[in-house]
Amino acid sequence: MKLTVPVKFGEEEITELNFKRPSGKQIREVGFPFSLDNEGSMSMKSNICMKYISLCASIPMSVVEKMDPVDLMTASGEIVGFFGTREQEASSSVQ
């Protein structure tokens, strides 16, 4: 993911992030990055998303905390995407 606003880390300027999928152990330790209400509406949990951004992009939390809000939202969407959607679950259970 290319950052719209580069972030400094020491002398290095970070311009893009590459995410790896979270492991089962990480999910157990950190939790899900979203919650669902009784009507099925999803709410992202920003603190947990930021932990996953740090873990999955292998960058320190101090760098995540410097990210532009637009980049944080985009990165959070990338993280939530690792957890699938109800539509994907429904279509895979039909097959």
Side-chain angles (χ1 to χ4, degrees):
M1 169 196 133
K2 290 200 182 295
L3 298 177
T4 59
V5 178
V7 179
K8 282 284 217 183
F9 178 54
E11 295 298 314
E12 182 183 359
E13 184 174 79
I14 299 172
T15 59
E16 72 176 24
L17 301 176
N18 295 305
F19 298 102
K20 61 182 186 284
R21 297 179 74 76
S23 67
K25 180 180 179 187
Q26 289 171 324
I27 294 168
R28 180 177 48 82
E29 291 172 350
V30 178
F32 286 103
F34 57 87
S35 61
L36 297 173
D37 67 17
N38 291 337
E39 296 169 3
S41 294
M42 185 181 81
S43 298
M44 282 196 285
K45 298 178 179 179
S46 59
N47 284 339
I48 293 177
C49 284
M50 291 174 75
K51 288 178 186 177
Y52 277 117
I53 293 167
S54 176
L55 287 169
C56 296
S58 300
I59 58 173
M61 183 58 78
S62 61
V63 172
V64 177
E65 291 171 343
K66 293 178 191 174
M67 288 174 63
D68 184 82
V70 170
D71 292 326
L72 276 174
M73 272 304 286
T74 303
S76 294
E78 294 281 329
I79 296 301
V80 170
F82 286 132
F83 292 84
T85 65
R86 285 186 168 187
E87 289 79 22
Q88 289 172 331
E89 291 169 11
S91 66
S92 66
S93 65
V94 171
Q95 298 175 358

